[in-house]
Amino acid sequence: MKKKLMTVFGTRPEAIKMAPLVKLLQKNGEFEVKVCVTAQHRQMLDMVLELFAIEPDYDLDIMQHGQTITDITSRVIKGMEEVLKAEKPDMLLVHGDTTTTFASALAAFYQKVPVGHVEAGLRSGNKYSPYPEEMNRMLTTSISELHFAPTQGNRENLLKENIADYKIAVTGNTVIDALMSVIKEDYSFGGELDAVDFENKKVVLLTCHRRENWGEPMINIFKAVRRLVDAHKDVEVVFPIHMNPNIRKIAAEILSGNERIHIIEPLDYEPFANLISKCHIVMTDSGGIQEEAPALGKPVVVMRTETERPEAVEAGTVKIAGVFEDDVYNAAALLIEDDAEYLEMARAVNPYGNGTACEKINKKLAEFFCH
Ligand code: UD1
Ligand code: UDP
């Protein structure tokens, strides 16, 4: 009889990174595959499910506006208890570092269901930054039976925490598998993005959402962006804004009313990935975008104080700018003004794999169940 794998995810980035794995596991047919979504995000999750044509077997539909991490944790644990009791999978596959990830892993532990952790071993070394993701990752590692590490560095982090080597597979990141399925040479956007002058302007792609940046740091970041646009007539900013109302309020106060700053609704993954590919530079505090933009040869200014993704920093395509206005402004202005600096950073590097992460995960799962 086929072993039963259940995947669970809840937010946009988890969905993007788990979608190619779900599709591959379904196609290969070696396992029975069940898909559960917590819907920690609702609209931003559904956009990805639709793009990849994934129909969940279970949908916990937990999102509430203004949800706290305690709300998410308790609703996911309770919802997953029912699903796991009903399905009794042979393994639960979780992804990354969200509260869906950790709470689902804990629910699986309570039901004595082994957990496989996709995108395991990332560490910033500071348990409050990113918050609560660093702790979510560490707790998920403690619970998991199998660890799919994107890079050798991630594997080494796990070994330092006494995870046995045979439980780890270095796979690359499934985000590259996802990215390769949506990037198109001749992509045309349509809609609002047609108003953006990609030919004559230096287009800055902006995203900002992290919990530890809410408040003062986010105000600093948006002031730096505003200054960048005011000081450089050849700069145009596109900001597909996260649905969190905390972010929308600050952005409206600081960034609205400038015709070279386009604040738009979150984009579907396909146009977003192609927007990375067409823009000049990326300014972000996102995790996933730090992996995608280097693969597409775009310099990234990271508006955070640290990163759990040092590979692209070491390769020279990502700069950690911090969260003070002057630092963020200076890092971005340098790339706008200095062509040599720009070209030095605008090199395609891909420390996160070659688009075969899902194949490697499937192989490790097959070995695990075979033994
Ligand atoms: C979550 C993850 C974070 C991840 C991010 C990706 C946690 C604690 N945080 O943060 O690790 O980087 O997702 O985007 O797991 N909202 C909507 N519709 C949506 C999505 C969000 O309206 O489709 C609004 C809701 O009001 C919701 C709020 O955004 O309450 C915050 O969502 P939440 O998942 O709690 O936090 P994120 O900041 O999105
Ligand atoms: N993304 C998207 N549409 C957008 C903004 C981002 O599809 O409007 C994708 C992006 O390409 C990446 C992922 O969403 O794969 C990153 O999500 P986010 O920044 O919300 O979360 P993080 O990666 O920081 O956890």
Side-chain angles (χ1 to χ4, degrees), residues 86-124:
E87 284 292 342
K88 298 187 174 50
D90 294 292
M91 179 170 273
L92 181 72
L93 294 174
V94 301
H95 180 279
D97 58 17
T98 71
T99 295
T100 283
T101 314
F102 161 60
S104 301
L106 186 58
F109 171 71
Y110 288 162
Q111 298 308 313
K112 299 196 174 152
V113 171
V115 173
H117 187 196
V118 181
E119 199 182 84
L122 280 69
R123 295 289 184 269
S124 71

Side-chain angles (χ1 to χ4, degrees), residues 11-14 40-45 63-69 72 97-100 131-133 136 209-211 214 242-245 247 287:
T11 66
R12 172 174 63 192
E14 292 167 79
Q40 175 180 334
H41 286 173
R42 184 72 274 169
Q43 301 87 335
M44 284 159 55
L45 172 78
M63 194 191 90
Q64 290 174 336
H65 288 292
Q67 61 198 7
T68 65
I69 44 186
I72 305 167
D97 58 17
T98 71
T99 295
T100 283
Y131 168 85
E133 290 81 5
N136 284 343
H209 74 85
R210 301 228 75 85
R211 241 161 234 267
W214 292 358
H242 194 284
M243 295 191 77
N244 192 322
I247 299 161

